[in-house]
Amino acid sequence: MTASARTIWPGVLLAAGGAVAFSGKAIIVKLSYRYGVDAVTVIMYRMLFALPLFALLSWWSGRGKPPLTFHDWRVLAGLGFSGYYLASFLDFAGLQYIGASLERLILYLNPTVVLGVGLLLYQRKVSRSQWLALVLSYLGVFVVFGHDASVSGNANTVLGALLVFGSAVSYALYLVFSGEAVKRIGVLRLTGLATGIACILCIGQFFVLRPVSAMVVAPQVLWLALINATLCTFMPVLMIMVAVERVGAGVASQAGMVGPVSTIFLSVLLLDEPVTGWMIAGTTLVMSGIWLLTRPQR
């Protein structure tokens, strides 16, 4: 193995591992719903367990750094609301109506949404290959969505898909508007603080919408929430950040293509969701489109 390969492979493996861990979130949420809880409760416990971890991350990454200004806190509040609170809540709500595999494919459209936001807000040019990537990606999602909707015959499939796509849009806005803040605050400190704000919002939302007695849930829900907060939320955030630092965003995105495949595998293994030719065809189209969109340019 050459020196360059030894340098790049740890970053690639970190990115792939982070993508697989992130994909496990949908499986954990779907398993939690089997115990009679709703999205508000599931996300509250996930964020309750994640809050100390992200608070520790923000403290550690902020050592020796200048204190944040009022403007910084205002930006962090907006980013935390869009990128981690609203995106997470819409995603969890959508998972009540659609399968984990379709949810992961819709969220995997995120680079295309970022491209669309850049086009609408900044009039950025879209190349021919990028248009082709958009067509392939959305065609793939429509293939899987159309099959699931026709099989279930349930209008809630449409609602679930729209909620998850809203999550992708919300997170894309976070990515677009976080650029300057990342340069000023630092990526680890920003992630820790923005996610901490989102944790507080999710916990507060529960007590606004539900009585305190609703905190009493099956022990399995608590264990699943702990796994979700640690292995499927905090750890993959760190893994992907380190991967991007080592190999760049383009290579990390390519390695992250293992995410939808792992979701399909886990959904079959743990949720008994069927794998159909429509699912395989749609996943292939989406992954081809995202590969075309995120491949490193010469």
Side-chain angles (χ1 to χ4, degrees), residues 133-184:
L134 291 173
V135 171
L136 288 174
S137 302
Y138 284 88
L139 179 61
V141 169
F142 283 128
V143 165
V144 179
F145 167 77
H147 175 261
D148 286 7
S150 62
V151 169
S152 67
N154 193 338
N156 284 338
T157 303
V158 178
L159 174 61
L162 289 175
L163 286 169
V164 175
F165 186 73
S167 171
V169 172
S170 184
Y171 191 71
L173 291 173
Y174 162 81
L175 292 176
V176 170
F177 290 111
S178 63
E180 288 301 317
V182 166
K183 296 176 184 177
R184 188 169 61 253

Coordinates of all heavy atoms in Angstrom, one line a residue, residues 133-184:
A133 N -27.6 15.0 -12.9 CA -27.5 14.4 -11.5 C -28.9 14.6 -10.8 O -29.4 13.7 -10.2 CB -26.4 15.0 -10.7
L134 N -29.4 15.8 -11.0 CA -30.7 16.1 -10.4 C -31.8 15.2 -10.9 O -32.7 14.7 -10.2 CB -31.1 17.6 -10.6 CG -30.3 18.6 -9.9 CD1 -30.7 20.0 -10.4 CD2 -30.5 18.5 -8.4
V135 N -31.8 15.0 -12.3 CA -32.9 14.2 -12.9 C -32.8 12.8 -12.4 O -33.8 12.1 -12.0 CB -32.7 14.2 -14.4 CG1 -33.6 13.2 -15.1 CG2 -33.0 15.6 -15.0
L136 N -31.5 12.2 -12.4 CA -31.4 10.8 -11.9 C -31.8 10.7 -10.5 O -32.5 9.7 -10.1 CB -29.9 10.4 -12.1 CG -29.4 10.2 -13.5 CD1 -27.9 10.0 -13.5 CD2 -30.1 9.0 -14.2
S137 N -31.4 11.6 -9.6 CA -31.7 11.5 -8.2 C -33.2 11.5 -7.9 O -33.7 10.6 -7.2 CB -31.0 12.6 -7.4 OG -29.6 12.6 -7.6
Y138 N -33.8 12.5 -8.5 CA -35.3 12.6 -8.2 C -36.1 11.5 -8.9 O -37.1 11.1 -8.3 CB -35.8 14.0 -8.5 CG -35.3 15.0 -7.5 CD1 -34.1 15.7 -7.6 CD2 -36.1 15.3 -6.4 CE1 -33.7 16.6 -6.6 CE2 -35.7 16.2 -5.4 CZ -34.5 16.8 -5.5 OH -34.0 17.7 -4.6
L139 N -35.6 11.1 -10.0 CA -36.3 10.0 -10.7 C -36.2 8.7 -9.8 O -37.2 8.0 -9.7 CB -35.7 9.7 -12.0 CG -36.2 8.5 -12.8 CD1 -37.7 8.8 -13.2 CD2 -35.4 8.3 -14.1
G140 N -35.1 8.5 -9.2 CA -34.9 7.3 -8.3 C -35.9 7.4 -7.1 O -36.5 6.4 -6.7
V141 N -36.0 8.6 -6.5 CA -36.9 8.7 -5.4 C -38.3 8.5 -5.8 O -39.1 7.9 -5.1 CB -36.7 10.1 -4.7 CG1 -37.8 10.4 -3.7 CG2 -35.4 10.2 -4.0
F142 N -38.7 9.1 -6.9 CA -40.1 8.9 -7.4 C -40.4 7.5 -7.7 O -41.5 7.0 -7.6 CB -40.3 9.8 -8.6 CG -40.5 11.2 -8.3 CD1 -39.8 12.2 -8.9 CD2 -41.4 11.6 -7.3 CE1 -39.9 13.6 -8.6 CE2 -41.6 13.0 -7.0 CZ -40.9 13.9 -7.6
V143 N -39.4 6.7 -8.2 CA -39.6 5.3 -8.5 C -40.0 4.5 -7.2 O -41.0 3.8 -7.1 CB -38.4 4.7 -9.1 CG1 -38.4 3.1 -9.1 CG2 -38.2 5.1 -10.6
V144 N -39.2 4.8 -6.1 CA -39.5 4.1 -4.9 C -40.7 4.6 -4.2 O -41.6 3.8 -3.7 CB -38.3 4.3 -3.9 CG1 -38.5 3.6 -2.6 CG2 -37.0 3.7 -4.5
F145 N -40.9 5.9 -4.2 CA -42.1 6.5 -3.6 C -43.4 6.1 -4.3 O -44.3 5.7 -3.7 CB -42.0 8.1 -3.7 CG -43.3 8.8 -3.4 CD1 -43.7 8.9 -2.1 CD2 -44.1 9.3 -4.4 CE1 -44.9 9.5 -1.8 CE2 -45.3 9.9 -4.1 CZ -45.7 10.0 -2.8
G146 N -43.4 6.0 -5.7 CA -44.5 5.6 -6.4 C -44.9 4.2 -6.1 O -46.1 3.8 -5.9
H147 N -43.9 3.3 -6.0 CA -44.2 1.9 -5.7 C -44.7 1.8 -4.3 O -45.7 1.1 -4.0 CB -42.9 1.1 -5.8 CG -43.0 -0.3 -5.4 ND1 -42.7 -0.7 -4.1 CD2 -43.5 -1.4 -6.0 CE1 -42.9 -2.0 -4.0 NE2 -43.5 -2.5 -5.1
D148 N -44.1 2.5 -3.3 CA -44.6 2.4 -1.9 C -46.0 2.9 -1.8 O -46.8 2.3 -1.1 CB -43.6 3.1 -1.0 CG -42.3 2.4 -0.7 OD1 -42.1 1.4 -1.4 OD2 -41.5 2.9 0.1
A149 N -46.3 4.0 -2.4 CA -47.6 4.6 -2.4 C -48.7 3.7 -3.0 O -49.8 3.6 -2.5 CB -47.6 6.0 -3.0
S150 N -48.3 3.1 -4.1 CA -49.3 2.2 -4.8 C -49.6 1.0 -4.0 O -50.7 0.4 -3.9 CB -48.8 1.9 -6.2 OG -47.6 1.1 -6.1
V151 N -48.5 0.4 -3.3 CA -48.7 -0.8 -2.5 C -49.5 -0.5 -1.3 O -50.4 -1.3 -0.9 CB -47.3 -1.4 -2.2 CG1 -47.4 -2.5 -1.2 CG2 -46.6 -1.9 -3.4
S152 N -49.1 0.6 -0.6 CA -49.8 0.8 0.7 C -51.2 1.4 0.5 O -52.1 1.2 1.3 CB -49.0 1.8 1.5 OG -49.0 3.1 0.9
G153 N -51.4 2.1 -0.7 CA -52.7 2.8 -0.9 C -53.0 3.8 0.2 O -54.2 4.1 0.4
N154 N -52.0 4.3 0.8 CA -52.3 5.2 2.0 C -51.8 6.6 1.7 O -50.6 6.8 1.3 CB -51.5 4.6 3.2 CG -52.0 5.3 4.5 OD1 -52.5 6.4 4.5 ND2 -51.8 4.6 5.6
A155 N -52.6 7.6 1.8 CA -52.2 8.9 1.6 C -51.2 9.4 2.5 O -50.5 10.4 2.3 CB -53.5 9.9 1.7
N156 N -51.0 8.7 3.7 CA -50.0 9.1 4.6 C -48.6 8.9 4.1 O -47.6 9.5 4.6 CB -50.1 8.3 5.9 CG -51.3 8.8 6.8 OD1 -51.7 9.9 6.7 ND2 -51.8 7.9 7.7
T157 N -48.4 8.1 3.1 CA -47.1 7.9 2.4 C -46.7 9.3 1.8 O -45.5 9.6 1.9 CB -47.2 6.9 1.3 OG1 -47.6 5.6 1.9 CG2 -45.8 6.6 0.7
V158 N -47.6 10.0 1.2 CA -47.3 11.3 0.7 C -46.9 12.3 1.8 O -45.9 13.0 1.7 CB -48.5 11.9 -0.1 CG1 -48.2 13.3 -0.6 CG2 -48.9 10.9 -1.2
L159 N -47.7 12.2 2.9 CA -47.4 13.1 4.0 C -46.0 12.8 4.6 O -45.2 13.7 4.8 CB -48.5 13.0 5.1 CG -48.2 13.7 6.4 CD1 -48.1 15.2 6.2 CD2 -49.3 13.4 7.4
G160 N -45.7 11.5 4.8 CA -44.4 11.2 5.3 C -43.3 11.6 4.4 O -42.2 12.1 4.9
A161 N -43.4 11.4 3.1 CA -42.4 11.8 2.2 C -42.2 13.3 2.2 O -41.0 13.8 2.1 CB -42.7 11.3 0.7
L162 N -43.3 14.1 2.2 CA -43.1 15.5 2.3 C -42.5 16.0 3.6 O -41.7 16.9 3.5 CB -44.5 16.2 2.1 CG -45.2 16.1 0.8 CD1 -46.6 16.6 0.8 CD2 -44.4 16.8 -0.3
L163 N -42.8 15.4 4.7 CA -42.2 15.7 5.9 C -40.6 15.5 5.9 O -39.8 16.3 6.3 CB -42.8 15.0 7.1 CG -44.2 15.4 7.5 CD1 -44.8 14.4 8.5 CD2 -44.2 16.8 8.2
V164 N -40.2 14.3 5.4 CA -38.8 14.0 5.3 C -38.1 14.9 4.3 O -37.0 15.4 4.5 CB -38.6 12.5 4.9 CG1 -37.1 12.2 4.7 CG2 -39.2 11.6 6.0
F165 N -38.8 15.2 3.2 CA -38.2 16.2 2.2 C -38.0 17.6 2.9 O -37.0 18.3 2.6 CB -39.0 16.3 1.0 CG -38.3 17.1 -0.1 CD1 -37.2 16.6 -0.8 CD2 -38.8 18.4 -0.4 CE1 -36.6 17.4 -1.8 CE2 -38.2 19.2 -1.4 CZ -37.1 18.7 -2.1
G166 N -39.0 18.0 3.7 CA -38.9 19.2 4.4 C -37.7 19.2 5.4 O -37.0 20.2 5.5
S167 N -37.4 18.0 5.9 CA -36.2 17.9 6.8 C -34.9 18.1 5.9 O -34.0 18.8 6.4 CB -36.2 16.5 7.4 OG -35.0 16.2 8.0
A168 N -34.9 17.6 4.7 CA -33.7 17.7 3.9 C -33.6 19.2 3.5 O -32.4 19.7 3.5 CB -33.9 16.9 2.6
V169 N -34.7 19.9 3.2 CA -34.6 21.3 2.9 C -34.1 22.1 4.1 O -33.2 23.0 4.0 CB -36.0 21.9 2.5 CG1 -35.9 23.4 2.3 CG2 -36.4 21.2 1.1
S170 N -34.6 21.8 5.3 CA -34.2 22.5 6.5 C -32.7 22.4 6.8 O -32.0 23.3 7.1 CB -35.0 22.0 7.7 OG -34.7 22.8 8.9
Y171 N -32.2 21.1 6.6 CA -30.8 20.9 6.8 C -29.9 21.5 5.7 O -28.8 22.0 6.0 CB -30.5 19.4 6.9 CG -29.1 19.1 7.4 CD1 -28.8 19.3 8.7 CD2 -28.1 18.6 6.5 CE1 -27.5 19.1 9.2 CE2 -26.8 18.4 7.0 CZ -26.5 18.6 8.3 OH -25.3 18.4 8.8
A172 N -30.5 21.6 4.5 CA -29.7 22.2 3.4 C -29.6 23.7 3.7 O -28.5 24.3 3.4 CB -30.5 22.0 2.1
L173 N -30.6 24.3 4.2 CA -30.5 25.8 4.6 C -29.4 26.0 5.7 O -28.7 27.0 5.6 CB -31.8 26.3 5.1 CG -32.9 26.4 4.0 CD1 -34.3 26.7 4.7 CD2 -32.6 27.4 3.0
Y174 N -29.3 25.0 6.6 CA -28.3 25.1 7.6 C -26.9 25.0 7.0 O -26.0 25.8 7.3 CB -28.5 23.9 8.6 CG -27.2 23.6 9.4 CD1 -26.9 24.4 10.5 CD2 -26.4 22.6 9.1 CE1 -25.8 24.1 11.3 CE2 -25.2 22.3 9.8 CZ -25.0 23.1 10.9 OH -23.8 22.8 11.7
L175 N -26.7 24.1 6.0 CA -25.4 24.0 5.3 C -25.1 25.3 4.6 O -23.9 25.7 4.6 CB -25.4 22.8 4.4 CG -25.5 21.4 5.1 CD1 -25.6 20.3 4.0 CD2 -24.3 21.2 6.0
V176 N -26.1 25.8 3.9 CA -25.8 27.0 3.0 C -25.4 28.2 3.9 O -24.5 28.9 3.6 CB -27.0 27.3 2.2 CG1 -26.9 28.7 1.5 CG2 -27.3 26.3 1.1
F177 N -26.1 28.4 5.0 CA -25.9 29.6 5.8 C -24.9 29.4 6.9 O -24.6 30.4 7.7 CB -27.2 30.1 6.4 CG -28.2 30.6 5.4 CD1 -29.4 29.9 5.1 CD2 -28.0 31.8 4.7 CE1 -30.3 30.4 4.2 CE2 -28.8 32.3 3.8 CZ -30.0 31.6 3.5
S178 N -24.3 28.3 7.1 CA -23.4 28.1 8.2 C -21.9 28.4 7.8 O -21.0 28.3 8.6 CB -23.5 26.6 8.7 OG -23.1 25.7 7.7
G179 N -21.7 28.6 6.5 CA -20.3 28.8 6.0 C -19.5 29.8 6.8 O -18.4 29.6 7.3
E180 N -20.0 31.0 6.8 CA -19.3 32.1 7.5 C -19.2 31.9 9.0 O -18.1 32.2 9.6 CB -20.0 33.5 7.3 CG -19.9 34.0 5.9 CD -18.5 34.2 5.5 OE1 -17.7 34.7 6.3 OE2 -18.1 33.9 4.3
A181 N -20.2 31.3 9.6 CA -20.1 31.0 11.0 C -19.1 29.9 11.4 O -18.4 30.0 12.4 CB -21.5 30.5 11.5
V182 N -18.9 29.0 10.5 CA -17.9 27.9 10.7 C -16.5 28.6 10.7 O -15.7 28.2 11.5 CB -18.0 26.9 9.6 CG1 -16.8 26.0 9.6 CG2 -19.3 26.0 9.8
K183 N -16.3 29.5 9.7 CA -15.0 30.2 9.7 C -14.7 31.0 11.0 O -13.6 31.0 11.4 CB -14.9 31.1 8.5 CG -15.0 30.4 7.1 CD -15.0 31.4 6.0 CE -15.2 30.7 4.7 NZ -15.3 31.7 3.5
R184 N -15.7 31.6 11.5 CA -15.6 32.4 12.7 C -15.5 31.7 14.0 O -14.8 32.0 14.9 CB -16.7 33.5 12.7 CG -16.6 34.6 13.7 CD -17.6 35.7 13.5 NE -18.9 35.2 13.6 CZ -19.8 35.0 12.6 NH1 -19.4 35.3 11.4 NH2 -21.0 34.6 12.8

